[in-house]
Amino acid sequence: MPPSSSAPIKFALQAYRYPPQKCIWNAAHANSLVIVTANVGPGANQRVDIEIVDSGPSHNVYLSKRGIKAESRLAITTHAEGEVGVCLRNYIEGDISGRDENKISRIIDLDIDIGADAVDYNAIANQESLSGLETEMRKLEGVVKEIVDEMTYLKKREERFSKTNYSTHRRVQNFAWFIIFSLTGLGAWQIFHLRSYFKQKYLID
């Protein structure tokens, strides 16, 4: 699950009285910086709400904002491994005829940067008076950190899968031994039962 910055996307968000969520999902590691830039086009009698969530077990809601307009720049830091979702709803507000309700929408330009791509290195360079080479080294440092984090994540996932496979193998092996012992015991009981039956019928001594 390598973290990645999605390419900017542009779409029309249909307005409804009770709108469904439209979510854009991207993979992200824990403690990753995520910058969301949403540019909302004009539209009368409409209200666009945005929410940033994740797909982790806790279903964290990092940010929820009503009525975003024009350009909004939002920043969060993830708490868990998984996917980060940017979810939008477009509400109809005011008096609109039922015939026109299905015709209104707003154009959304969405840009999501994650990890090293979310860091404003130009601002850092100006603040710390870094040269061009030093700024590039800082960028490389961020990229290397992401690669190390990704390798660590893959190693942990492999260890988790190995433990699961080992546990499953042990369960299957124990069940197989249980079947063998059960069949052996059942066979022995049948032999003794048949021997007793034949003795009662005087078929064997």
Side-chain angles (χ1 to χ4, degrees):
M1 185 201 65
S4 61
S5 295
S6 64
I9 58 174
K10 185 175 184 177
F11 56 92
L13 186 62
Q14 181 72 38
Y16 298 94
R17 291 287 179 188
Y18 304 99
Q21 276 190 334
K22 180 178 179 63
C23 295
I24 310 298
W25 295 92
N26 286 277
H29 291 304
N31 302 314
S32 293
L33 176 65
V34 179
I35 301 292
V36 177
T37 305
N39 200 315
V40 180
N45 300 107
Q46 299 172 68
R47 188 192 82 228
V48 175
D49 295 352
I50 190 169
E51 192 174 64
I52 302 178
V53 299
D54 70 20
S55 62
S58 300
H59 299 289
N60 297 300
V61 178
Y62 296 98
L63 182 148
S64 184
K65 192 172 182 180
R66 289 166 53 92
I68 60 172
K69 299 176 182 178
E71 183 173 293
S72 297
R73 188 175 172 85
L74 311 168
I76 61 107
T77 301
T78 58
H79 299 328
E81 297 280 351
E83 291 189 322
V84 173
V86 178
C87 300
L88 301 124
R89 296 179 193 264
N90 191 8
Y91 290 86
I92 293 176
E93 292 188 325
D95 296 328
I96 296 180
S97 65
R99 184 175 58 184
D100 294 332
E101 283 188 359
N102 296 328
K103 298 179 181 179
I104 62 173
S105 63
R106 296 179 81 170
I107 300 298
I108 309 293
D109 278 305
L110 196 63
D111 190 9
I112 304 170
D113 293 314
I114 300 173
D117 291 327
V119 179
D120 189 346
Y121 288 102
N122 291 329
I124 293 175
N126 292 332
Q127 184 179 1
E128 300 182 13
S129 301
L130 301 178
S131 66
L133 180 59
E134 289 173 326
T135 303
E136 290 300 318
M137 291 298 293
R138 189 70 63 88
K139 289 181 183 179
L140 288 174
E141 183 181 350
V143 172
V144 169
K145 182 180 182 301
E146 282 197 342
I147 294 173
V148 171
D149 289 343
E150 176 65 16
M151 295 299 293
T152 302
Y153 168 78
L154 292 174
K155 182 179 179 181
K156 289 181 179 178
R157 188 175 67 171
E158 183 181 359
E159 290 174 352
R160 186 169 66 250
F161 286 161
S162 296
K163 288 179 181 178
T164 301
N165 290 337
Y166 176 75
S167 176
T168 302
H169 175 73
R170 288 295 302 271
R171 289 194 184 100
V172 171
Q173 189 178 50
N174 291 339
F175 182 72
W177 281 113
F178 172 76
I179 294 296
I180 291 171
F181 289 136
S182 296
L183 291 176
T184 302
L186 180 61
W189 177 82
Q190 287 181 332
I191 290 173
F192 285 117
H193 176 72
L194 290 174
R195 184 178 179 83
S196 175
Y197 173 79
F198 289 147
K199 279 186 176 181
Q200 289 178 1
K201 298 296 183 179
Y202 301 103
L203 296 176
I204 62 174
D205 295 332

